[in-house]
Amino acid sequence: MHPFNYHTVIQQKLEALKLSGGYRQFLETERLAETYPSFLYRNEKGVLSAAVNWCSNDYLSMGLHPEVIEAQCSVTADSGVGSGGTRNISGTTIHHVELEKTLAALHQKEAALLFNGAYLANVTVLSTLGKIFPELVFFSDEENHASIIEGIRGSGGKKEIFNHNDLSHLEELLSSYNSSVPKIIVFESVYSISGDVAPVAEIIALAKRFNALTYIDEVHAVGMYGQGGAGIASAAGVQNKIDIINGTLAKGFGVMGGYIAADALMTDAIRSFGSGFIFTTSLAPGICAAAQKSIELLRNADELRDIFSDTVIDIRRALEHRGIPFHKNQSHITRVLIGDENVCKSVAKDLLESYGIYIQPVFYPTVPKGMASLRITAGTRYTKEHIQELAKALEVVMGKYELMIRRCEDVENLEM
């Protein structure tokens, strides 16, 4: 018998992925603080070219804010570029503690806990809850992020998936378990691809009725919505009724890292039992200082959030004027459905190379097969000229692929 050939298997898997349209390629970019959203990228010939970024998650450009940059540089100069250890072994600095206090206050909770990313926070917290409560049943929205899915899978607990934002289906599933069974409803406030907003207050009401905990992922909402940028639950006036809030220090706050905010007992349990927290080197002190400054600046930044909201409106008006169909929702994420993965990649490539418009295509497994999309995100630095150039380029390029796009599912079926 021949020895097992590992490289052959890997090569076959990669070739199959490429044929399916699911192979991912990363654009090599150079982000420029002064000219953003314009940036430089290295094209296939190795030449630096200019383009406009329409898919960044630094929605409010806080990652480019002079005071945020200065906060990180100042603390880094004093404390060094790393923390030097896990939180348990010398990695808990005054900057970590102060940031956790700030996050707890932002979300009206007793405590908060920092992680190196919101993905890690979701995986760690959800899997840890399954170990604390071995009989815990997870009720998960079908559009939940991969990190939530992985966390629930790692918990070893039972999972019930309810139809997206479907309160009746959620109620039906909850009613099949008696009150003695531990339960938790896990959902997002703003769903990362569709941009749909969850009926937060109604979900909380069901949770109270059926004695279930609630876990909300606010990563695409913190900074942009609610009092001081606390998120959708805050905007809905029900933040104090959520048991566990997951958030990110990236995206709206423009830095990096993730966190949870909850009552002191729950937070202590995750701190004490969560392997993803215990065994990970902590965030650099400079990053904590930058996040702290960003949160402070956004507490009283309603004018900036208004600019952001107006930009979203302007983008959608421009798309409608050009006849570009998109999924209507109440958030800032604008999804243009293409359908076929390879077509979607071709559209994105054409936009970049011919028009200097960068929109990363989103495809399986991020979305179901045949639902590949262009996900347009707004920002505070886009001009009306930027917006008009985006809409015009989309009109031309999508018209070029019109016959293939027409075979896709009607975008109207995606509307709320």
Side-chain angles (χ1 to χ4, degrees):
M1 294 180 64
H2 295 291
F4 189 85
N5 192 316
Y6 297 94
H7 283 185
T8 297
V9 174
I10 293 172
Q11 189 65 44
Q12 289 172 346
K13 296 287 185 181
L14 287 172
E15 288 301 324
L17 185 64
K18 291 175 181 179
L19 288 172
S20 71
Y23 186 73
R24 297 175 187 272
Q25 293 177 305
F26 304 133
L27 189 69
E28 183 181 335
T29 69
E30 182 177 357
R31 194 180 190 207
L32 304 171
E34 291 186 5
T35 63
Y36 181 83
S38 295
F39 71 103
L40 298 177
Y41 74 96
R42 198 173 299 280
N43 64 24
E44 294 178 347
K45 297 180 180 179
V47 179
L48 283 177
S49 302
V52 176
N53 190 343
W54 281 99
C55 54
S56 171
N57 287 332
D58 188 1
Y59 299 124
L60 304 177
S61 301
M62 295 305 292
L64 307 171
H65 196 291
E67 291 184 53
V68 176
I69 294 172
E70 172 58 28
Q72 179 163 343
C73 291
S74 176
V75 171
T76 298
D78 291 339
S79 302
V81 297
S83 70
T86 65
R87 290 293 295 273
N88 183 53
I89 305 174
S90 79
T92 297
T93 71
I94 58 173
H95 303 288
H96 294 83
V97 175
E98 288 304 309
L99 180 53
E100 287 175 339
K101 288 180 181 178
T102 297
L103 289 166
L106 176 68
H107 292 293
Q108 300 177 1
K109 298 298 181 187
E110 294 177 338
L113 200 63
L114 286 170
F115 291 81
N116 286 23
Y119 191 108
L120 180 61
N122 273 337
V123 171
T124 300
V125 175
L126 294 170
S127 62
T128 302
L129 288 173
K131 294 174 175 61
I132 295 172
F133 307 106
E135 303 301 318
L136 185 64
V137 180
F138 293 83
F139 295 81
S140 177
D141 188 287
E142 68 175 339
E143 283 197 10
N144 274 339
H145 190 264
S147 58
I148 293 175
I149 296 169
E150 184 175 341
I152 294 174
R153 184 183 295 122
S155 73
K158 185 174 182 180
K159 175 177 65 177
E160 297 280 6
I161 299 176
F162 61 93
N163 298 333
H164 179 51
N165 277 352
D166 189 333
L167 294 170
S168 297
H169 190 215
L170 175 58
E171 180 179 6
E172 178 186 338
L173 292 172
L174 286 166
S175 65
S176 65
Y177 294 86
N178 63 52
S179 61
S180 65
V181 176
K183 299 174 283 290
I184 185 167
I185 304 171
V186 187
F187 61 105
E188 300 179 41
S189 61
V190 176
Y191 287 86
S192 59
I193 302 302
S194 67
D196 292 342
V197 176
V200 181
E202 291 83 351
I203 289 176
I204 292 172
L206 282 176
K208 299 303 179 187
R209 179 178 159 195
F210 290 99
N211 190 35
L213 295 172
T214 47
Y215 184 105
I216 188 171
D217 181 316
E218 289 261 35
V219 298
H220 284 279
V222 289
M224 284 90 70
Y225 303 95
Q227 183 65 37
I232 293 294
S234 170
V238 293
Q239 183 170 232
N240 61 328
K241 297 179 181 180
I242 290 282
D243 293 299
I244 305 173
I245 295 172
N246 169 283
T248 183
L249 299 172
K251 299 182 173 64
F253 294 128
V255 191
M256 72 166 289
Y259 63 90
I260 62 159
D263 65 35
L265 186 65
M266 180 66 76
T267 305
D268 192 26
I270 303 303
R271 184 191 71 86
S272 300
F273 298 111
S275 295
F277 173 81
I278 296 169
F279 298 107
T280 301
T281 297
S282 64
L283 289 169
I287 289 175
C288 294
Q292 177 85 5
K293 175 57 68 173
S294 181
I295 295 167
E296 290 174 0
L297 290 169
L298 287 177
R299 277 178 180 158
N300 300 300
D302 288 342
E303 183 177 350
L304 186 64
R305 281 184 278 271
D306 288 342
I307 292 172
F308 178 76
S309 179
D310 289 344
T311 302
V312 175
I313 293 171
D314 288 344
I315 290 170
R316 294 182 176 180
R317 282 176 176 166
L319 295 180
E320 287 176 343
H321 178 71
R322 295 281 180 175
I324 306 299
F326 60 89
H327 175 39
K328 295 180 173 62
N329 56 48
Q330 297 171 323
S331 76
H332 55 279
I333 295 171
T334 303
R335 177 187 182 187
V336 177
L337 177 69
I338 302 299
D340 180 85
E341 284 76 11
N342 287 313
V343 173
C344 191
K345 288 182 180 181
S346 295
V347 169
K349 183 178 181 180
D350 204 344
L351 285 168
L352 179 62
E353 294 179 350
S354 302
Y355 298 92
I357 301 290
Y358 175 45
I359 310 175
Q360 183 64 26
V362 178
F363 47 85
Y364 181 83
T366 306
V367 295
K369 289 183 178 180
M371 297 288 283
S373 306
L374 299 177
R375 177 181 173 274
I376 301 168
T377 55
T380 53
R381 289 196 179 187
Y382 295 109
T383 64
K384 292 189 182 299
E385 288 73 22
H386 283 138
I387 294 169
Q388 291 305 318
E389 288 169 2
L390 167 71
K392 184 177 181 180
L394 277 168
E395 179 185 28
V396 174
V397 176
M398 289 183 69
K400 179 179 175 180
Y401 292 90
E402 184 177 6
L403 292 176
M404 285 174 278
I405 290 173
R406 281 178 176 172
R407 297 193 191 110
C408 301
E409 178 180 339
D410 186 354
V411 174
E412 296 300 318
N413 293 334
L414 288 175
E415 295 184 6
M416 295 178 66

